[in-house]
Amino acid sequence: MSDASPTAAGPTSEPLIVDVAVAGGGLVGASLALALAQLQLRIALIEAAPFGAADQPSFDDRSTALSNGSRRIFEALGVWSLIEREATAIRRIHVSDQGRFGFTRIHAKEQGLGALGHVVVNRVMGAALWRRLSSEPNITVLAPAKVQSMQLQQHQQRIECVLGDGTVRVVEAKLAVAADGARSTLRQSAGIGASTWDYEQVALVSNVLSQHFHDHVAYERFTPAGPLALLPLTEGRLGLIWTFRPDTAREMTGLSDGQFLERLQSAFGFRLGRFTRIGSRQLYPLSLTRSDEYVAERLAIVGNAAQTLHPIAGQGFNLGLRDAVSLAEVLADGRAVGATEFDAGDGVWLQRYREWRAADRSNIVRFTDGLVRVFSQPFGPIKLLRDAGMLAFDLMPSAKDALSQLSLGAAGRVPRLARGAPLLPP
C-alpha cells in the first residue's frame, strides 16, 4: 500500500492510473479493496477520513451482528484472525413482544451450527481492515481525500479528489465503485438518483451491563416505543439498539443514567437481572434508501450507497458485504477468462453483477422493511396476528431453517467467499 496520507501522496499533476477505484473506505469499501487485491489488480481506495482514524463514520462504537457468511468472508480476507478475540458468538436468539404472548426462539445447535453469528464493535472491525490494507502493495490509499467529481471518459472514469492538505489528485480508473454511503458523491455524479423512505424513527445506541451474564443470547423485543435489541458483547456487556420516534429519543438522551436504566428495565424485564450501568448514548436517524440503479457505465454501486436498511433485522452490513464480494467474484471470473488486457469496467461484468445481486437485495429489503411495518402497527388485530405468527414460527423447524439461511443470503447464488471457497475459480 502507498499514498496512505497527503504527505505520502504529495502534490502531483500526474493522474493515478488504476484498474478499480473504490470511493469510501468504510467497512464495505475496505473489504472490497482487500478482495480485489487477490486478483492482482491495481486498486485505489479513496477515503475522506484520515488513514486509520477512529472517527471514520463506519468505525464507531456501534455493534454489528456478523452472519456466518460474513465471518467466512473475513476469514478469507485475513481479517477474522485480527478481530476474533473481540467477537462474541450468538448461540441463541430470543424474540418477544412486550406485554403480549408472542415469542420466538432460535438455537444454533438446533440448526447444526456452532453459532448463529458473531457480534463485533465496528471500530474493532475498522482497525483490523486498516491494518490489512496497510500490508497490500496493490492498494493505494488516498486518505484523507474527498471526492469532488467523477467524469466518464472513453475507457475510464476520471475522479477528482482533494487531499487533506488541499492538493488536488486525479484518479483514472477502468472501473469506479461507489461505496461512499447513502449520499454517495459517485452515484450522484453518474446522475443516478435514490428513493428514500423516512421511517420517522431514531435508533438510540449504547452499551449496558446487567447482573446476569448474557450467555450468548441476542434479544429482540418489540415495545410500544419501538424495537429493542440487546446483542451479546465481550466482558459481559450488551450492545443496545432501541428505536424511538424522534421526540421520544431526544427525551431518552436527556434522562440521567439511573432514569434511563429504569425505562430500559421496564421495557425489557428481568431476564438478565437488573441493568447496572449504561454507556454514552448516541442517536442515528433511520430510513430506507434504495439506489435507482446499481450499475452505470464503468460504475458499480455497493453497500449503503446501494441500499441503507433499518437495523431491526441486522442485515444491512451483511448485505453490503455480499455486494462487495459478489462484484469481486464477477471480476475474478472475468480475469480468469485469460484476456490479455482485462478491463474491469467492461459492461459485461457490470451486468453480471447487477443481475446476480437483484434477488438477494430485493428479498432482504422487503424482509427488513416488512418487519418494521408489521411491528410498528398499534392496532389490536395486527398485534394478535403477529403474536400468533411468532408462536407458530417457534414451533416450525422448517421456518427456522429458512431464517437461518439469511446468514448466507436471501436468494440464489451465494458468493464463494461466503461459502468458505477461494475467490479465484479453480
Side-chain angles (χ1 to χ4, degrees), residues 18 66 104 106 118 129 147 198 218 223 289 293 346 368 372 392 398-399:
V18 297
L66 295 180
T104 294
I106 304 175
H118 290 78
L129 285 163
V147 174
D198 186 353
T223 76
T289 302
E293 293 289 343
D346 192 306
T368 300
V372 175
S398 59

Side-chain angles (χ1 to χ4, degrees), residues 110-369:
E110 291 178 357
Q111 305 303 314
L113 300 171
L116 294 164
H118 290 78
V119 183
V120 188
V121 176
N122 287 5
R123 59 178 168 77
V124 172
M125 289 191 285
L129 285 163
W130 281 122
R131 182 175 170 185
R132 282 286 296 113
L133 287 168
S134 66
S135 66
E136 289 292 344
N138 293 335
I139 301 175
T140 299
V141 176
L142 299 178
K146 187 173 181 180
V147 174
Q148 296 296 299
S149 64
M150 181 181 70
Q151 182 179 5
L152 178 65
Q153 298 182 334
Q154 186 174 4
H155 298 296
Q156 63 191 14
Q157 291 279 12
R158 184 181 187 274
I159 303 171
E160 188 172 288
C161 313
V162 176
L163 304 181
D165 63 355
T167 303
V168 176
R169 190 74 194 267
V170 172
V171 179
E172 294 179 351
K174 296 291 187 183
L175 172 65
V177 181
D180 49 346
R183 299 179 180 178
S184 169
T185 299
L186 256 61
R187 190 188 66 212
Q188 293 173 18
S189 294
I192 299 174
S195 59
T196 299
W197 176 268
D198 186 353
Y199 287 120
E200 297 183 349
Q201 296 177 351
V202 175
L204 186 152
V205 176
S206 187
N207 289 337
V208 297
L209 281 175
S210 60
Q211 278 184 315
H212 303 320
F213 180 55
H214 52 61
D215 201 25
H216 300 276
V217 180
Y219 295 93
E220 181 99 35
R221 187 158 175 77
F222 296 96
T223 76
L228 186 165
L230 286 169
L231 304 177
L233 294 173
T234 57
E235 300 174 348
R237 297 170 300 145
L238 293 140
L240 169 67
I241 307 171
W242 198 354
T243 302
F244 301 98
R245 294 190 63 82
D247 54 346
T248 307
R250 288 190 293 270
E251 176 195 349
M252 295 296 285
T253 58
L255 297 176
S256 68
D257 288 356
Q259 291 171 325
F260 183 89
L261 289 176
E262 286 181 9
R263 297 277 190 96
L264 177 61
Q265 197 80 63
S266 176
F268 182 76
F270 290 86
R271 290 183 183 85
L272 294 168
R274 289 198 172 274
F275 293 108
T276 59
R277 187 178 300 176
I278 180 77
S280 62
R281 288 161 259 168
Q282 304 294 328
L283 300 180
Y284 298 89
L286 301 177
S287 61
L288 168 64
T289 302
R290 301 181 71 176
S291 178
D292 294 342
E293 293 289 343
Y294 299 103
V295 300
E297 190 170 355
R298 296 194 174 276
L299 174 69
I301 303 174
V302 302
N304 283 345
Q307 66 275 315
T308 57
L309 307 182
H310 194 290
I312 190 170
Q315 291 298 316
F317 172 67
N318 297 295
L319 179 62
L321 189 58
R322 290 198 297 276
D323 286 345
V325 296
S326 297
L327 177 61
E329 184 171 325
V330 165
L331 296 180
D333 290 345
R335 179 101 183 190
V337 170
T340 304
E341 290 293 332
F342 173 68
D343 184 352
D346 192 306
V348 171
W349 318 133
L350 291 172
Q351 188 59 27
R352 289 182 184 177
Y353 164 73
R354 181 181 184 277
E355 291 174 353
W356 180 0
R357 297 303 300 141
D360 186 19
R361 180 179 283 129
S362 177
N363 287 350
I364 289 291
V365 168
R366 283 203 306 268
F367 173 72
T368 300
D369 186 55

Side-chain angles (χ1 to χ4, degrees), residues 30-45:
S31 298
L32 173 60
L34 288 173
L36 293 174
Q38 298 184 22
L39 308 183
Q40 300 303 305
L41 297 174
R42 297 165 298 171
I43 312 300
L45 182 63

